[in-house]
Amino acid sequence: MVNSNATHLEWNQVQSLVDAGKYADAAKAYEVAIEHDPDERSSYWYLGLIMLLQGEETEAQTTWFMPLSACDSDETMHQWSQELLLVLDDEAARQQINTKLESVWIIRQHIRDLDPTNFNNLLLLIQTAIKIDRFHLRDLIEWELLDKVKDNTLSAPHPAILSDTLLELIKSYAFDPFTYDLVKACIPFFEPDPKLFVEGLMNECGRIAFYDGRASLAAHLLELGYRLAPHNQEVLKYLSVFYQNSSQFDKAIDLARQAYDQADQLIDQIMASHVLLRGLMKTGGRWSEVEILFTKHLALLGDLIQSNTLDLNLAQANWMFNSAYSMPYLRDDLRANRLLQNQISHLCQVNVRKNLPQLTEHFSKGCASWREAAKPHRPLKIGYMSSCLKQHSVGWLARWLYQHHDRENVRIHSYMVGYRQRGEDRLNAWYTDHSDVVHKLEANGEAIAQTIFDDDLDILVDLDSLTLDTTCQVMALKPAPIQVTWLGWDASGIPAVDYYMVDPYVVPDNADDYYSEILWRLPRTYIAVDGFEQGVPSIRRSDLEIPDDAVVYFSGQNGYKRHPQTVQMQMKIIKEVPNSYFLVKTPGEDETMKQLFYQAAEIEGVDGDRLRFLPRFPSELIHRANLGIADVVLDTYPYNGATTTLEVLWAGIPLVTRVGSHFSSRNSYTMMINAGITEGIAWTDDEYIEWGIRFGVDV
């Protein structure tokens, strides 16, 4: 019990009572102190605080007002009010440490009432309200926060507190225009030292672009970071990628060139070159520039391999995993492509593990114990890791494996990477319902790897491969004893991956010599589907001014796959088939892709009026329904279709494909062979043209 004879009671003497919820005893101690010394103001401050923590807000305010009412000047009133505010702020900080966030929220609400210009308190109040789900943006509007920031009527904020708060708002409320306006108004506070906020802003914008699919919004927000750090290599690269993904190609390529021109270190040069190459390819029509830059890019990657550097930080090592991503789109060379990718991935894995030695050792010991332990009879625990278990090609295709597992002997763990709950996604809900264990995870490689390790899996299957650097980092750390790559792309070449799931056709017989993984060839096909949902068509021939008796060719791939040599072959087919038209689906790319086709048509003497360009359709279901407008589908090369090929085959439409030497140029081949189809499979450019003409004439 507190000494009731004390005339000046220190707060630390009653904190244990408060923390134990013995508010009556703590209050009694201060009431006694006030009886002995009614002029000691701090006793009123702390007694009111105790009442506040009990929920007696009116009584707390009355207690605080007792000494304040005795003030004889504004100066004294201000001084005493500051004393009270300091008491409340100190206790809010203490309660924060004790994770009693409801108490923190209550105290900071009253600090706001007493001093509405205290910017730091407002920021901390916002953070707390978000954590306990008491926050609404309308609160900030009621506080007139934006106007006060613009008018500079608030106290100077601590940059770290301001940064944390704005990033929390972006994380949860990026889609509300008010958030952007507030961030924009606060930008001047970061001008002396922008690094902390800019790094956090890039991370949040990355989530918005890659996991929410809102690249345009991510670009809009990161433009604010660009104002603060116009020469920051990371900002230039991220912003360029966001522009690319939102089809703002002129801006994207300008920023990528800035990054490329300013880069003076090999790693920065490679990353900037990769981003620029990505932007040029995505437009679908700047192939002369692509070819020149690709040669330079390969030389830079060669320098990286030669350097055998061990100095990459974690972010750089993750970036490097997909630095050769462009290769299969630009050349059909199994040996060269695989050799370079394997070398890059090996170097990246070494650097990832060097940055995380304790985690690496922890996982290594765990996997060794798994191999040595006796295996009790229990269901096999298989984990599937992907950022695409949603309305995405991987999401559409992986369902059938989930559905056809022997669920008596297999337990499925799903690791949904970069999960963000934004509206309804019925495919994501489907995977949740068809999994035994579901983890919806932030895009943090270390945390994901630890979660996988803690689940004690038998097998981990990565569905993303090189399409996502986060999952590359996870696989490099090897949190599971057996690791497999399947479906999402070609193999990653990461040494910690044990197997790559293929079939007898999707890679050639000699492919084993070029993969670091063991090729596990399934007996027939590496991918099979039971069908696709279909919507109602949104286009008809009459809408496109195409005669009913015309032969309609179709191609529906993105800009990366529009290799000019293949486009030229397609124009040769159109030329030789009378009354034929070519429908090209262009998913938002700029006019350069259209010019690529028009120029190819002009070279072959094909009237440009025979070309039609279709925009992105509202949904995959409508896209599939619209396939019915086509008589023949012409595949891309050296990177074939995959999901699109399966959709075409399911729709029963003839397909012409050119077979190459590596996974990406043999996808359509394996799917056709497994469907019992040999017509339309071409092994040379001439055969591709011949099949295209034959199908058109036979329609």
Side-chain angles (χ1 to χ4, degrees):
M1 188 66 181
V2 175
N3 180 4
S4 60
N5 294 320
T7 58
H8 178 65
L9 186 61
E10 295 291 344
W11 179 240
N12 57 18
Q13 294 177 263
V14 298
Q15 283 179 354
S16 60
L17 295 174
V18 172
D19 292 341
K22 297 180 179 180
Y23 297 114
D25 290 343
K28 181 62 176 178
Y30 273 108
E31 289 168 356
V32 170
I34 290 172
E35 288 177 9
H36 283 80
D37 187 359
D39 294 328
E40 177 55 51
R41 293 187 302 276
S42 66
S43 297
Y44 296 91
W45 307 152
Y46 288 114
L47 179 58
L49 173 58
I50 294 167
M51 293 175 175
L52 180 63
L53 293 173
Q54 292 182 86
E56 300 172 357
E57 298 184 41
T58 302
E59 291 82 352
Q61 292 171 338
T62 300
T63 302
W64 293 330
F65 183 71
M66 291 171 65
L68 292 174
S69 63
C71 290
D72 55 5
S73 69
D74 291 342
E75 182 178 351
T76 302
M77 173 68 79
H78 176 74
Q79 177 186 340
W80 292 5
S81 296
Q82 290 303 308
E83 288 178 2
L84 172 58
L85 287 167
L86 183 59
V87 166
L88 296 178
D89 189 67
D90 285 346
E91 182 58 17
R94 194 180 75 85
Q95 295 282 355
Q96 181 81 40
I97 293 171
N98 293 334
T99 66
K100 295 183 177 180
L101 299 185
E102 287 286 346
S103 296
V104 175
W105 181 75
I106 292 170
I107 294 170
R108 294 210 174 278
Q109 286 277 28
H110 281 269
I111 295 175
R112 184 183 69 82
D113 291 339
L114 292 165
D115 184 7
T117 66
N118 186 330
F119 201 179
N120 282 334
N121 180 69
L122 295 177
L123 297 170
L124 293 169
L125 176 57
I126 293 168
Q127 289 184 33
T128 305
I130 290 174
K131 290 175 183 175
I132 62 175
D133 199 25
R134 285 181 175 268
F135 179 76
H136 302 282
L137 275 179
R138 64 175 177 268
D139 294 337
L140 307 190
I141 297 172
E142 291 175 1
W143 300 349
E144 299 180 336
L145 181 61
L146 182 57
D147 291 336
K148 291 177 180 178
V149 171
K150 290 179 178 179
D151 296 341
N152 200 26
T153 56
L154 298 173
S155 61
H158 190 289
I161 297 175
L162 178 60
S163 177
D164 289 346
T165 307
L166 294 180
L167 294 175
E168 281 291 332
L169 287 172
I170 292 170
K171 185 173 184 177
S172 302
Y173 301 94
F175 300 103
D176 193 298
F178 181 89
T179 299
Y180 174 84
D181 292 339
L182 180 61
V183 174
K184 181 180 178 182
C186 291
I187 287 296
F189 293 113
F190 298 112
E191 288 175 351
D193 185 10
K195 183 178 180 181
L196 179 65
F197 177 67
V198 168
E199 288 181 353
L201 181 62
M202 282 192 291
N203 290 335
E204 290 303 325
C205 289
R207 293 187 180 97
I208 293 168
F210 302 134
Y211 303 119
D212 294 332
R214 297 288 295 273
S216 181
L217 175 60
H220 190 48
L221 283 164
L222 193 54
E223 285 168 353
L224 300 175
Y226 178 64
R227 290 188 197 179
L228 288 168
H231 302 295
N232 183 302
Q233 280 282 312
E234 297 299 303
V235 170
L236 292 171
K237 288 177 290 196
Y238 268 91
L239 187 51
S240 175
V241 170
F242 300 158
Y243 282 143
Q244 292 172 31
N245 290 359
S246 56
S247 300
Q248 301 179 67
F249 291 107
D250 288 339
K251 289 182 178 180
I253 290 170
D254 284 347
L255 283 181
R257 290 194 195 283
Q258 284 185 45
Y260 185 71
D261 293 340
Q262 294 174 16
D264 55 4
Q265 300 294 321
L266 177 61
I267 299 303
D268 289 334
Q269 291 170 346
I270 291 172
M271 289 192 287
S273 174
H274 168 66
V275 171
L276 179 55
L277 193 57
R278 183 185 189 274
L280 293 170
M281 291 172 62
K282 195 170 177 64
T283 66
R286 308 191 188 207
W287 288 97
S288 59
E289 295 177 77
V290 167
E291 291 174 359
I292 294 171
L293 182 59
F294 182 57
T295 300
K296 295 178 179 178
H297 189 66
L298 291 177
L300 290 171
L301 291 174
D303 291 342
L304 176 67
I305 299 301
Q306 189 67 31
S307 72
N308 197 30
T309 180
L310 299 177
D311 296 328
L312 302 183
N313 61 40
L314 193 57
Q316 291 171 332
N318 288 342
W319 258 95
M320 286 296 107
F321 275 115
N322 62 9
S323 58
Y325 189 82
S326 56
M327 287 191 299
Y329 296 95
L330 299 175
R331 66 181 187 186
D332 183 22
D333 190 332
L334 173 66
R335 181 181 182 279
N337 289 357
R338 292 308 318 166
L339 177 62
L340 182 55
Q341 185 60 62
N342 293 344
Q343 290 174 317
I344 291 170
S345 293
H346 177 270
L347 183 66
C348 291
Q349 175 173 300
V350 170
N351 278 274
V352 165
R353 292 183 168 194
K354 183 174 181 292
N355 278 277
L356 301 169
Q358 293 179 333
L359 207 57
T360 299
E361 183 180 3
H362 178 54
F363 293 159
S364 178
K365 289 180 178 178
C367 291
S369 298
W370 180 91
R371 286 189 291 270
E372 295 167 1
K375 302 298 184 292
H377 179 71
R378 62 169 175 78
L380 196 66
K381 295 167 70 172
I382 301 178
Y384 291 95
M385 175 177 64
S386 178
S387 63
C388 302
L389 296 177
K390 57 185 179 182
Q391 291 185 190
H392 180 279
S393 289
V394 167
W396 290 111
L397 300 183
R399 290 179 295 172
W400 310 116
L401 179 62
Y402 270 63
Q403 189 155 309
H404 292 294
H405 264 306
D406 176 1
R407 300 307 288 269
E408 290 186 6
N409 295 303
V410 172
R411 293 292 179 266
I412 294 179
H413 292 235
S414 292
Y415 302 93
M416 300 176 180
V417 178
Y419 177 81
R420 306 268 279 182
Q421 183 63 55
R422 300 291 190 195
E424 182 180 359
D425 187 310
R426 64 187 187 87
L427 264 186
N428 184 264
W430 187 95
Y431 281 103
T432 299
D433 292 341
H434 287 75
S435 303
D436 296 294
V437 177
V438 177
H439 295 283
K440 298 180 177 181
L441 303 160
E442 290 285 336
N444 181 315
E446 296 156 64
I448 295 168
Q450 185 64 59
T451 299
I452 291 169
F453 182 81
D454 291 342
D455 279 356
D456 192 27
L457 295 181
D458 297 299
I459 302 171
L460 173 63
V461 183
D462 173 27
L463 304 181
D464 288 355
S465 188
L466 293 174
T467 60
L468 185 64
D469 56 4
T470 302
T471 53
C472 287
Q473 178 191 337
V474 172
M475 298 303 277
L477 289 169
K478 199 170 178 65
I482 299 175
Q483 300 196 152
V484 181
T485 298
W486 176 67
L487 186 60
W489 212 66
D490 201 348
S492 65
I494 298 171
V497 177
D498 303 289
Y499 300 99
Y500 178 44
M501 304 298 288
V502 293
D503 61 38
Y505 311 104
V506 77
V507 293
D509 293 339
N510 66 339
D512 302 72
D513 298 336
Y514 308 121
Y515 282 86
S516 63
E517 304 88 346
I518 296 172
L519 298 184
W520 195 272
R521 293 179 187 267
L522 299 175
R524 290 189 59 189
T525 179
Y526 82 98
I527 175 66
V529 299
D530 282 358
F532 294 99
E533 297 87 340
Q534 185 168 301
V536 177
S538 64
I539 55 170
R540 294 174 175 80
R541 293 193 177 198
S542 58
D543 299 328
L544 302 172
E545 299 182 352
I546 295 176
D548 289 339
D549 62 347
V551 178
V552 176
Y553 289 90
F554 175 81
S555 182
Q557 304 292 354
N558 60 37
Y560 295 118
K561 298 183 179 182
R562 299 296 184 184
H563 197 284
Q565 182 178 337
T566 306
V567 172
Q568 208 66 48
M569 291 192 294
Q570 293 166 343
M571 290 303 105
K572 290 179 184 292
I573 294 169
I574 303 301
K575 178 182 179 180
E576 296 300 324
V577 179
N579 195 28
S580 64
Y581 290 79
F582 193 22
L583 272 60
V584 182
K585 185 180 173 186
T586 57
E589 278 74 0
D590 68 358
E591 291 297 315
T592 60
M593 180 188 287
K594 295 180 181 179
Q595 291 306 313
L596 172 69
F597 282 90
Y598 283 130
Q599 290 168 8
E602 184 178 359
I603 291 171
E604 297 301 329
V606 174
D607 190 336
D609 288 341
R610 295 168 68 183
L611 304 181
R612 298 288 188 275
F613 297 95
L614 304 177
R616 184 187 297 274
F617 300 126
S619 72
E620 293 94 337
L621 276 64
I622 295 175
H623 151 73
R624 294 174 195 138
N626 286 336
L627 288 174
I629 200 173
D631 295 305
V632 183
V633 173
L634 300 178
D635 200 6
T636 48
Y637 172 84
Y639 203 118
N640 295 167
T643 307
T644 51
T645 296
L646 288 168
E647 291 168 337
V648 167
L649 295 177
W650 190 261
I653 303 170
L655 174 74
V656 180
T657 188
R658 167 74 162 88
V659 186
S661 67
H662 60 78
F663 172 85
S664 301
S665 59
R666 297 171 69 92
N667 254 302
S668 296
Y669 166 56
T670 189
M671 294 166 185
M672 293 174 72
I673 287 292
N674 277 285
I677 300 169
T678 56
E679 295 86 355
I681 297 175
W683 294 89
T684 66
D685 293 352
D686 289 342
E687 286 185 15
Y688 182 91
I689 296 168
E690 290 169 8
W691 276 116
I693 295 171
R694 187 185 308 179
F695 281 165
V697 171
D698 291 345
V699 168

